[in-house]
Amino acid sequence: MTSAVASSGTKTTSTPQENASPEKFRLMLMMALTLVTGVVDAVGYLGLDRVFTGNMTGNVVILAMALAGAANLPTLGPLVALGAFLLGAAAAGFTLQSSPKGWNRRVTLLLTAGCIALTGTAAISLSVEDVGHQSIRVIVAALIAMHMGSQALIARHLGVRDMTTVVITSTITSLAGESLVGKQRPRLLNRRLGAVLAMFAGAAIGVLLLQIHLSVPIGLGIAITAAVTVLGSRRWH
């Protein structure tokens, strides 16, 4: 009797649905983190004076236009956010460089640190009366951007296809150039569209929650990131 046959004499084979289940679970976790990016970018752009905390392309463009002489564009906030994002990505890269691909304790540690950073920003916004002061906005944006840089590197390390959690331009390009006009049967409803919609939904939710208080959308980001951390550490493999 071979190892493929159980003691009862029946073969123990898994169904296609069972094989796909772990991938779907991982995909949902990455979708959740993509939604968080939309939320915190809404916080950054509307609540922290036009600073992108997750999508660094926006900060680069804003800085370029401001330095070229465009009026009424911020420079300090986008510059600090860009530097903080790079720092977060570098720290995550250093932490994960010797670990195997996939979820491990270091991923859990990094995401937990991100939750702590986001909690710090929520605490600042609740405890400081003048959240609109430039120095406070810059500190809050820097802490969020540092976590988002770490999250972006974690997504690369986990390697779920089409799920960067912070970059949508390349996803839209793949959706239009491969999913819709590829050699295989065109598919609109797929993970690429899901990532775009997750970012869209996150930004919309962030705008609505900002009407309550700056800390509220940040709190949602904390809750989602914490849930992903717990579920990922338990069920990723």
Side-chain angles (χ1 to χ4, degrees):
M1 185 177 294
T2 64
S3 59
V5 179
S7 58
S8 61
T10 59
K11 292 184 178 181
T12 57
T13 58
S14 58
T15 66
Q17 291 80 4
E18 289 172 338
N19 290 333
S21 181
E23 177 64 17
K24 289 182 179 179
F25 173 75
R26 296 165 188 166
L27 180 62
M28 289 302 103
L29 293 189
M30 294 297 100
M31 289 281 193
L33 293 181
T34 303
L35 188 143
V36 171
T37 301
V39 171
V40 298
D41 263 338
V43 170
Y45 195 81
L46 297 178
L48 303 174
D49 192 22
R50 290 175 289 179
V51 176
F52 288 99
T53 54
N55 291 286
M56 290 299 110
T57 303
N59 287 333
V60 172
V61 173
I62 289 174
L63 283 171
M65 293 189 296
L67 293 175
N72 301 320
L73 285 178
T75 54
L76 180 61
L79 183 62
V80 172
L82 180 60
F85 187 95
L86 291 171
L87 180 61
F94 178 79
T95 303
L96 296 172
Q97 65 180 345
S98 60
S99 61
K101 292 292 183 179
W103 199 290
N104 52 58
R105 291 182 179 179
R106 297 183 184 185
V107 171
T108 301
L109 177 63
L110 287 170
L111 286 176
T112 301
C115 288
I116 294 172
L118 291 178
T119 301
T121 64
I124 291 173
S125 66
L126 285 171
S127 60
V128 177
E129 293 183 4
D130 187 12
V131 181
H133 193 278
Q134 185 181 32
S135 61
I136 302 300
R137 292 198 304 260
V138 169
I139 292 172
V140 172
L143 287 173
I144 297 175
M146 187 179 300
H147 164 59
M148 297 311 296
S150 176
Q151 176 182 296
L153 198 286
I154 289 170
R156 289 178 63 86
H157 182 79
L158 294 176
V160 177
R161 182 169 55 87
D162 294 320
M163 291 291 113
T164 67
T165 76
V166 296
V167 179
I168 289 298
T169 303
S170 60
T171 305
I172 294 174
T173 303
S174 299
L175 175 65
E178 297 174 6
S179 297
L180 299 183
V181 299
K183 293 182 179 180
Q184 298 180 352
R185 182 171 61 88
R187 294 183 60 200
L188 176 62
L189 300 178
N190 56 28
R191 64 176 63 204
R192 292 164 178 167
L193 179 62
V196 175
L197 293 178
M199 183 79 76
F200 183 92
I205 293 170
V207 171
L208 294 175
L209 295 181
L210 271 172
Q211 299 177 26
I212 303 173
H213 191 271
L214 183 69
S215 63
V216 178
I218 297 175
L220 177 62
I222 297 168
I224 295 175
T225 305
V228 169
T229 304
V230 173
L231 290 172
S233 63
R234 292 182 176 181
R235 295 182 53 194
W236 187 268
H237 298 292

